[in-house]
Amino acid sequence: MQRLRLGVLALAWIGFASIAYPQAFSSLSGVVTDSSGAAIPGAQVSASNLETGAERTVETNEQGLYTIPLLPPGLYQVAVTKEGFRSAIRD
């Protein structure tokens, strides 16, 4: 009997959590390249939420790929920096 009660309680908690915290997230991913099309590993990619000021930064991998997961909805500015390269900023 206790197991059933715990199961019902867990289901009720999961239902409440999904209502209280809607899961409306997205991700931003891409590849950073130079003007010749060569991948740039180790570049810093930052996504700044223009409404809240929250910022997330990741580094590109060996192939120049990056992913910034779990971004809440909003307007973002993306900046890419790497020593020896000119910075790029896009809204």
Side-chain angles (χ1 to χ4, degrees):
M1 203 60 168
Q2 275 187 323
R3 287 185 186 177
L4 180 59
R5 287 184 191 160
L6 289 176
V8 170
L9 180 60
L11 288 175
W13 178 253
I14 290 168
F16 174 74
S18 66
I19 292 169
Y21 301 102
Q23 298 186 4
F25 293 100
S26 190
S27 64
L28 177 66
S29 60
V31 60
V32 177
T33 60
D34 65 13
S35 58
S36 72
I40 306 295
Q44 299 293 312
V45 180
S46 299
S48 301
N49 187 310
L50 298 176
E51 297 162 335
T52 67
E55 183 176 313
R56 302 264 309 277
T57 302
V58 297
E59 188 172 299
T60 58
N61 68 11
E62 299 80 27
Q63 293 83 34
L65 299 170
Y66 67 91
T67 298
I68 304 174
L70 300 174
L71 290 172
L75 299 173
Y76 285 87
Q77 183 176 73
V78 178
V80 179
T81 58
K82 171 76 175 177
E83 188 175 330
F85 291 88
R86 192 172 32 183
S87 297
I89 300 174
R90 300 286 185 269
D91 289 336

